[in-house]
Structure formats: C-alpha cells, structure tokens
Amino acid sequence: MWEHEQLVVRTGKRSGMTTMVALHSTKAGPAVGGCRMKSYEQITDAITDVLRLSKAMTLKCRDAGIPHGGAKSVIVVDRELTPELRREVLLDHADLINEFKGAYQAGPDVGTGPQDMLVLRERTPHAYCLPEEHGGTGSSSGPTARGVLAALKASAQHVFGTPDLAGKKVVISGFGSVGELIAQGLEGAEVIVSDLDETKRTNEFGWVAPDQAYKISADVLVPAAVGGVLSPEVVQELDVRLIVGPANNQLTDDGVADLLRERGIVWVPDHIASAGGVIYTLAREDDGDDHETALKRVDVIETTVRRWLTPVN
C-alpha cells in the first residue's frame, strides 16, 4: 500500500546517473534522512530501498521524539565513480533536493560522508553533517554507536538480568565505522566481528566469515551492515537470545518479527536502536546544543528501549 507523500526519480543532467528522493511524511515537520550512494542490480531495487528507508526514518523520528518526518535519498552507482563523476552526481542530487524546498533535509548514509555533504551545500542549504571545520557536526558514527550501546544496556537488562555484557559472546556483522565503535565499547565481552572486507580483520577481536555470522552460537547479534538480513530462513538458523544493531531495515518483511518472537529471540527494532546519529545531529545543528548535552539526548535511547520492552498490563 502506498504510504508516501512523494517519490521523485531523476536522471542527472551533469552525470547521467539516477538519483531519487522518497518523502514518506512531513506531518511532524520537515523530513530528514540520509543520502545513500551504492549500486543496485535493478533500478526497482533502488526504489524499493529508498521507500523502505524513508518510512523507517519516520518511525525513527517518532520514537525518538524528534519533530521531523522521514525521508531518504539514493544515488544509484551504475559505473566506476571517478572523483569528477562523484562530484557531478552529487551536484545533480543537490538540485533534486532543492526541488523539495526544505521539505527534505539530507545527511550522510551508506556510501556518503561529510565531504559529500559539503558538495551538496554548493547547490542546496538542506544538508546536515558538514565537516566540523566547515561548521557542521561531521560524521554521526560516534553518536550512532553510542545509541546502540545504550540500547544494548537496556535490552541486556531485560534478557540477561544485567546491563553488563561482560563475559557474553557478541557477534557484530559489519565492521565499518559504527560496528568498530560498538565493538570497542563492549568491554569484557567476547566480541566476534565479520565484514566482507577482509582487510578489516584485526587481532583485537575474533573474526568469522560473513556467511557464518548469523549461524554461530552467541548471546547477542549486532547487525551493523546492510539491511534485509533477517529472513525466515536466517531466523531458523539463529542461535542467539538478543538482536540489537544499527543496520537499517533488518527484516526482509514485518512477519519476521513474529518468527523471532516465536523462537524466543528479543529483537530491538533498528529504527529505535540506530537513532543516536539523527538525535545528536539535530540537537547540535537545529537546537544549538553543545556536544555533551546532545550526547545526553542520545543516552535517552536506553530509557526508550527499556520502556519499549516493558509489557503493557
């Protein structure tokens, strides 16, 4: 069923590449959401992705108490990205963002970062997370990881009777900037990481091949890479008690949540666990909070998860 306010797909006049914006809702305020840059097998896969991601952003803002709606944008990479082509498609994307006249405000996502937001700002004022030396808040990886760790504390208390994961076996699938920060924050835990990029392998943590990350026995699973990883087939092979992670849209469909419940696996929805980045960014850039005050807002995720896990009588 169509739930979105707008979906706009454009071919960039400079790059010839496809860019798109999905505006899910502006009922609570201007919509916010990251700009994702990646390749897809089919253009329809990109559209499906941007629609699901934008809806998740509405839920993320709602449950975090942020007065914004949700949106998302995607730049479809269909050829080798030279520095010149990257700049061209970012400028094309900025023109598309401008068409929404402030109803959509972009930030970094998979495949983009603060430097890319700086390029967007050449054509549109509606971009967050510029490099700190240019007046922005830079990468949101730190606050995102902090929020996931807060969610882990609350859910560990619920599942294991203690917020401390020391001695517990935790598998992190996806060892990017956020996954690495989560791993470093799990003091005393037996941490095993996985990533498609073998060069990220480190002696600091255990390592497992990506195709085994969802099969090994552990206490906690942290999905920290791409979405759509928890399918009915994968759920049947899981041997964990708790799933909490920053990857967006972890379930292949909503029915998977019921399968997890039937198996006795507690799953904290990703739009709750991964809200730290947007909470921090908006606190700093919209509300003018200082660093420590914004981080305290991120820490409220622990209370949100605790409330979400408490049964309603």
Side-chain angles (χ1 to χ4, degrees):
M1 184 175 65
W2 178 255
E3 301 178 359
H4 294 66
E5 294 179 10
Q6 281 185 278
L7 169 66
V8 180
V9 183
R10 287 277 187 272
T11 299
K13 62 182 180 181
R14 301 173 187 81
S15 65
M17 295 174 67
T18 301
T19 78
M20 60 186 72
V21 173
L23 196 69
H24 180 259
S25 176
T26 56
K27 291 179 181 178
V32 293
C35 168
R36 178 165 294 199
M37 184 185 290
K38 61 171 288 189
S39 60
Y40 295 84
E41 289 189 10
Q42 303 287 339
I43 195 70
T44 50
D45 296 333
I47 291 172
T48 298
D49 202 22
V50 78
L51 290 173
R52 292 192 69 198
L53 290 165
S54 61
K55 178 180 178 180
M57 282 304 303
T58 297
L59 298 176
K60 183 178 294 188
C61 291
R62 181 199 68 188
D63 290 343
I66 297 172
H68 285 272
K72 208 78 172 185
S73 60
V74 162
I75 296 172
V76 180
V77 179
D78 60 4
R79 69 198 81 156
E80 182 180 353
L81 270 181
T82 64
E84 294 77 15
L85 182 57
R86 185 183 189 93
R87 175 176 169 77
E88 287 177 351
V89 74
L90 284 166
L91 293 174
D92 287 336
H93 196 56
D95 288 341
L96 174 56
I97 291 170
N98 255 343
E99 292 185 24
F100 289 83
K101 303 183 185 301
Y104 168 52
Q105 300 172 3
D109 197 78
V110 173
T112 62
Q115 290 295 333
D116 298 308
M117 299 304 103
L118 190 60
V119 177
L120 292 182
R121 274 289 184 93
E122 295 181 25
R123 301 286 301 177
T124 179
H126 307 299
Y128 288 106
C129 296
L130 271 65
E132 293 183 50
E133 61 269 25
H134 291 275
T137 52
S139 172
S140 61
S141 296
T144 300
R146 186 179 178 114
V148 174
L149 290 168
L152 280 165
K153 286 182 180 179
S155 52
Q157 177 70 56
H158 178 81
V159 174
F160 306 115
T162 173
D164 188 356
L165 286 171
K168 295 291 190 292
K169 187 174 182 179
V170 181
V171 177
I172 301 176
S173 175
F175 200 52
S177 56
V178 177
E180 182 176 0
L181 289 170
I182 293 170
Q184 292 171 349
L186 294 171
E187 296 182 9
E190 180 189 353
V191 179
I192 298 173
V193 301
S194 175
D195 198 276
L196 290 172
D197 185 354
E198 274 278 342
T199 65
K200 294 181 179 180
R201 189 167 184 165
T202 171
N203 293 329
E204 186 177 0
F205 308 108
W207 181 270
V208 65
D211 62 352
Q212 296 300 308
Y214 291 82
K215 297 179 181 180
I216 65 174
S217 178
D219 298 293
V220 183
L221 173 65
V222 178
V226 296
V229 291
L230 295 176
S231 65
E233 295 75 20
V234 168
V235 168
Q236 290 304 316
E237 293 191 78
L238 288 175
D239 186 14
V240 297
R241 295 180 60 189
L242 175 62
I243 301 176
V244 184
N248 293 311
N249 293 333
Q250 295 166 17
L251 310 185
T252 54
D253 62 74
D254 292 343
V256 174
D258 295 325
L259 297 178
L260 289 167
R261 187 182 304 111
E262 290 171 6
R263 294 213 55 211
I265 300 171
V266 173
W267 170 68
V268 177
D270 42 88
H271 69 264
I272 296 176
S274 68
V278 68
I279 291 172
Y280 178 86
T281 298
L282 296 177
R284 291 292 309 277
E285 299 196 22
D286 279 1
D287 299 342
D289 287 353
D290 60 29
H291 174 67
E292 292 302 325
T293 301
L295 287 180
K296 288 179 181 177
R297 289 199 188 189
V298 173
D299 292 339
V300 174
I301 289 176
E302 183 176 350
T303 303
T304 301
V305 172
R306 188 179 300 116
R307 183 174 62 246
W308 183 82
L309 289 172
T310 301
V312 178
N313 295 325

